Amino acid sequence: MPSAKRERYRLRKSCAFLVFFLLFLSCAKKNVEINLGKINPLEVLKKVKESQQSIRSVKGLASVTIKTPDNKISFNQVTIAEEPNLLHLEALAPFGRVVGTIISDGEKIYVTSPNERRIFNRVQEFDFSSLYNGPPMRITVDKLVNLLLGRLDELPEYESSQIYLSTRSDYLILTLFKNGKEKGTLWINPVNYRIESANLNLGRGISATYRFDDFKDISIGVSFPKKIELEVDNFSLSLKYDDEVEVNSNINRNSFKPEQPFARFEKAF
């Protein structure tokens, strides 16, 4: 190979390696040095709350798997949710046929299945877990919206708890105690203060485990987990949004009206 061609080949190879290396660095988890002596637990709690509240709405397609002691189902789902209790879910069969919907307009909740249509006249009456013979915990519409927004379905009682901070594997570990009993443990990313894992004691010997992963950067300091998991006893719910998920966008209020039950997503092929 002539000298000039060899030089161009080496240059292209070096540039390709550099691009790959930069992409690897951008995707890798950023490690920070954690000095507990300089960290105020109350300031950590404030930033964790702000991080949770930074996601207000979500709209996208997701793959869902629900496991119970008796069954396991998987389906694609149209997911539209906005805090505190606006919701539009469509469970899709193969080829996009809608087989069930859950719609909340903030006052009433409409649940449609192939066999029936139920109306809950107050949001407090709705319990998502009862639809799937689910976990021994109530999942009200506001808790379900929180979970779909990549949050804990219900924040622990920070103010009335004793708080201990520790570190492990580049995470801040926040442990809560109340009346001498451990109430929960949160694994917090010290870069953006997102909760990436949590274990909460629900009482009566029941605990709930949450995992948030595959984060998508929305804006400076704001990220959204495309993968969400909840496990309680023998029940588990796993949800994975596709890459085109929209976060904090303006959502048409007609999406939350039961008279217009089907959302439309246009996707280029």
Side-chain angles (χ1 to χ4, degrees):
M1 182 184 295
S3 177
K5 286 186 177 180
R6 282 199 301 269
E7 190 64 30
R8 286 197 297 270
Y9 173 77
R10 283 196 295 266
L11 182 60
R12 283 198 299 269
K13 191 174 180 180
S14 298
C15 289
F17 174 78
L18 179 61
V19 170
F20 173 80
F21 182 69
L22 292 175
L23 286 173
F24 174 79
L25 287 180
S26 66
C27 296
K29 184 179 185 294
K30 297 178 176 64
N31 296 329
V32 296
E33 184 177 345
I34 303 174
N35 185 344
L36 286 178
K38 296 182 179 180
I39 296 178
N40 184 335
L42 295 180
E43 186 65 22
V44 172
L45 286 178
K46 178 183 176 182
K47 291 182 178 180
V48 168
K49 290 181 180 179
E50 291 174 349
S51 179
Q52 292 247 121
Q53 295 167 356
S54 66
I55 304 298
R56 303 178 303 277
S57 68
V58 63
K59 177 181 179 181
L61 295 173
S63 58
V64 179
T65 297
I66 296 176
K67 297 179 183 179
T68 70
D70 305 319
N71 199 8
K72 173 184 176 181
I73 57 174
S74 297
F75 54 90
N76 290 326
Q77 175 179 281
V78 173
T79 305
I80 307 174
E82 183 173 311
E83 63 177 10
N85 52 21
L86 296 175
L87 187 65
H88 181 129
L89 303 181
E90 296 176 19
L92 306 178
F95 306 107
R97 182 171 61 90
V98 178
V99 295
T101 63
I102 300 176
I103 297 175
S104 170
D105 61 10
E107 296 180 358
K108 296 183 178 181
I109 300 173
Y110 306 82
V111 179
T112 303
S113 68
N115 300 322
E116 65 175 343
R117 185 172 191 256
R118 300 173 62 186
I119 300 176
F120 297 83
N121 291 313
R122 297 187 308 141
V123 294
Q124 294 86 353
E125 297 175 357
F126 174 77
D127 182 5
F128 176 78
S129 63
S130 66
L131 302 179
Y132 293 97
N133 187 26
M137 60 183 284
R138 293 196 72 224
I139 303 180
T140 54
V141 66
D142 55 330
K143 291 182 178 181
L144 181 57
V145 168
N146 276 337
L147 196 61
L148 295 170
L149 295 180
R151 309 170 174 175
L152 297 180
D153 55 12
E154 186 174 20
L155 282 176
E157 298 178 3
Y158 295 125
E159 287 76 11
S160 60
S161 301
Q162 294 175 295
I163 303 167
Y164 294 90
L165 277 177
S166 60
T167 63
R168 194 183 312 161
S169 302
D170 299 316
Y171 284 96
L172 276 171
I173 312 299
L174 191 151
T175 306
L176 306 173
F177 288 86
K178 188 174 182 179
N179 298 326
K181 297 182 179 180
E182 184 174 329
K183 301 298 293 182
T185 302
L186 311 180
W187 295 63
I188 301 167
N189 186 328
V191 175
N192 53 20
Y193 290 91
R194 286 291 318 202
I195 297 173
E196 296 194 9
S197 181
N199 186 273
L200 301 183
N201 183 356
L202 306 180
R204 307 187 309 277
I206 303 169
S207 63
T209 299
Y210 304 79
R211 299 183 187 89
F212 305 98
D213 201 357
D214 194 12
F215 284 83
K216 176 178 181 178
D217 290 333
I218 305 304
S219 60
I220 297 177
V222 178
S223 58
F224 174 75
K226 292 191 298 178
K227 185 175 182 181
I228 299 166
E229 296 179 350
L230 166 64
E231 293 182 6
V232 184
D233 283 359
N234 294 322
F235 172 90
S236 68
L237 183 152
S238 175
L239 183 143
K240 179 74 168 66
Y241 288 101
D242 68 6
D243 291 336
E244 287 74 34
V245 61
E246 299 177 19
V247 179
N248 291 346
S249 62
N250 293 322
I251 296 178
N252 189 331
R253 284 298 179 272
N254 287 332
S255 300
F256 308 112
K257 294 182 178 180
E259 295 80 9
Q260 300 184 11
F262 304 122
R264 292 289 176 263
F265 286 83
E266 295 183 1
K267 196 170 183 179
F269 291 92

